[in-house]
Amino acid sequence: MGSIKQHYSTLLLLLVIAIAASFLNAGEAFPLSSHFYGHSCPRALDIVRSVVARAVDREPRMAASLLRLHFHDCFVKGCDASLLLDSNGPIASEKGSKANKNSARGFEVIDEIKAALETECPGTVSCADILALAARDSTVLAGGPDWEVALGRRDSLDASLSGSNNNIPAPNNTLQAIVTKFKLQGLDIVDLVALSGGHTIGLSRCTSFRQRLYDGHTDSLEEGYAWQLRSRCPPSGGDDNLFPLDLVSPARFDNSYYKNLVAGKGLLNSDQVLFTRSPETSALVRLYADDGGLFFDHFAKAMIKMGNISPLTGDHGEIRKNCRRIN
Ligand code: HEM
């Protein structure tokens, strides 16, 4: 009798363990946490910050480039560093997509951060977390808001070139298309307008805004600004000529991006439509143009939300040794 009881309690225990394990594997049991490397790599955050600071010191634009990398990573299969993989065997790199080709930059800085972290604590800090931290540090270095970065993302075992082509909004997308692409990632209108404020820093190539200069629909473009742009971006040639996304303070993270939109001086069509195509988004543009503190607050919240898009946790994915290839 005693042994039957024992048998049942062992079975019950095994059942409880199995149920617990299945929850753990589902991923929800591993929420991201800002203390994730507290024991395994206590200096991780300092190391990321110092390499980013050196890189931005060498070239201020790098802050913008690193911020953008996190966005382009998270919109494709979640924040899993799929963006960083080079083409190899069955992997077709996302770096070759419409949004990234000849445009996404900063990969060498990510390599530099990863190399420093591998020396400090090998096989511990994921490339996906490096992207999230570098985006935050870049924002702060450029004068923007600070936030606590939740950590514990793991790195993907593959990339999605088609996901990169389809999910990342293009500068000539309609506002409706952009809203839909954000919705698919669980991001709402407030997130969209706040995150677009990332265009307060950085540069764009002529090829990303030429169309709107010559398509006859220049009504929303301030005349003097249009002339300035046309001189830098002729009807043909000069594809790679660069122009600041925020002409007022291109290297400073502030709310002048929104003031520019109100003045008809948004660089990309996708920027200007936030002010011209919907009462809801234009109200937010006005709000952020008037209140830089509110913009900072909403930007930080939206970055945290974006950084939470479908992370790999638990035993999913891996911690890459080199961000450019799977182990
Ligand atoms: C809303 C939809 C968005 C569209 C259509 C868009 C499009 C673009 C385009 C076309 C460029 C210029 C690329 C080039 O010509 O090389 C650019 C640059 C940039 N984007 Fe976006 N973007 C969007 C949202 C975002 C978000 C959410 C962030 C970050 C929170 C962001 C951050 C940046 C930064 C910082 C740059 C400058 C990068 C550099 O100078 O290297 N963008 N974006």
Side-chain angles (χ1 to χ4, degrees):
M1 196 63 193
S3 82
I4 288 180
K5 220 169 145 186
Q6 220 169 21
H7 186 67
Y8 273 115
S9 50
T10 312
L11 270 179
L12 194 67
L13 184 69
L14 285 174
L15 194 67
V16 170
I17 291 173
I19 290 171
S22 78
F23 269 112
L24 289 178
N25 275 333
E28 293 94 324
F30 292 104
L32 304 180
S33 147
S34 57
H35 307 296
F36 190 80
Y37 300 112
H39 294 294
S40 57
C41 196
R43 292 184 57 241
L45 275 63
D46 295 334
I47 290 171
V48 176
R49 192 182 314 113
S50 73
V51 179
V52 172
R54 244 185 294 137
V56 172
D57 206 39
R58 281 197 300 262
E59 187 205 7
R61 184 189 176 189
M62 192 49 73
S65 306
L66 293 173
L67 171 60
R68 187 171 183 230
L69 287 187
H70 185 41
F71 163 51
H72 284 204
D73 179 35
C74 294
F75 266 53
V76 184
K77 297 191 311 103
C79 313
D80 62 357
S82 57
L83 167 65
L84 302 180
L85 290 172
D86 286 339
S87 290
N88 189 9
I91 292 172
S93 177
E94 293 171 19
K95 294 173 188 177
S97 75
K98 286 180 286 183
N100 293 328
K101 197 173 179 191
N102 299 325
S103 180
R105 57 201 297 283
F107 298 109
E108 296 75 18
V109 177
I110 302 298
D111 291 339
E112 208 183 314
I113 298 170
K114 181 62 176 170
L117 288 169
E118 285 300 299
T119 308
E120 173 84 5
C121 24
T124 305
V125 182
S126 69
C127 301
D129 279 345
I130 292 173
L131 285 172
L133 287 167
R136 188 272 312 267
D137 294 342
S138 294
T139 302
V140 173
L141 281 164
D146 199 354
W147 62 91
E148 217 171 59
V149 180
L151 300 164
R153 300 169 190 79
R154 290 167 64 84
D155 301 323
S156 72
L157 299 170
D158 57 4
S160 176
L161 180 56
S162 61
S164 188
N165 278 323
N166 296 328
N167 301 2
I168 299 173
N172 60 352
N173 281 164
T174 62
L175 178 60
Q176 199 44 55
I178 297 171
V179 167
T180 302
K181 286 178 180 179
F182 272 67
K183 274 223 175 90
L184 283 172
Q185 306 292 341
L187 300 172
D188 60 25
I189 299 274
V190 175
D191 300 319
L192 164 64
V193 180
L195 287 172
S196 295
H199 289 176
T200 174
I201 52 174
L203 308 173
S204 169
R205 291 163 308 149
C206 154
T207 184
S208 301
F209 59 87
R210 171 184 287 124
Q211 195 186 340
R212 66 186 299 238
L213 303 179
Y214 302 104
D215 68 0
H217 300 289
T218 50
D219 49 326
S220 58
L221 198 58
E222 195 270 334
E223 199 45 42
Y225 183 56
W227 273 101
Q228 222 180 325
L229 295 181
R230 288 193 195 102
S231 73
R232 190 90 188 105
C233 192
S236 65
D239 282 14
D240 292 330
N241 288 356
L242 295 170
F243 205 88
L245 285 155
D246 165 6
L247 81 159
V248 172
S249 55
R252 176 116 202 119
F253 197 105
D254 56 18
N255 66 337
S256 51
Y257 166 80
Y258 299 101
K259 294 181 183 167
N260 297 338
L261 298 187
V262 173
K265 295 178 180 180
L267 182 61
L268 306 177
N269 193 58
S270 51
D271 295 320
Q272 197 59 51
V273 292
L274 295 174
F275 189 64
T276 54
R277 295 291 158 134
S278 128
E280 205 182 350
T281 56
S282 69
L284 286 161
V285 168
R286 276 194 199 283
L287 211 56
Y288 298 150
D290 290 342
D291 186 346
L294 187 70
F295 162 50
F296 275 24
D297 184 46
H298 286 190
F299 184 81
K301 289 200 171 93
M303 284 297 289
I304 292 170
K305 211 164 147 187
M306 186 176 83
N308 262 310
I309 299 174
S310 313
L312 296 171
T313 58
D315 57 6
H316 297 283
E318 64 178 12
I319 306 296
R320 278 181 222 145
K321 293 187 177 70
N322 177 332
C323 294
R324 292 174 184 267
R325 47 181 172 269
I326 58 173
N327 293 340

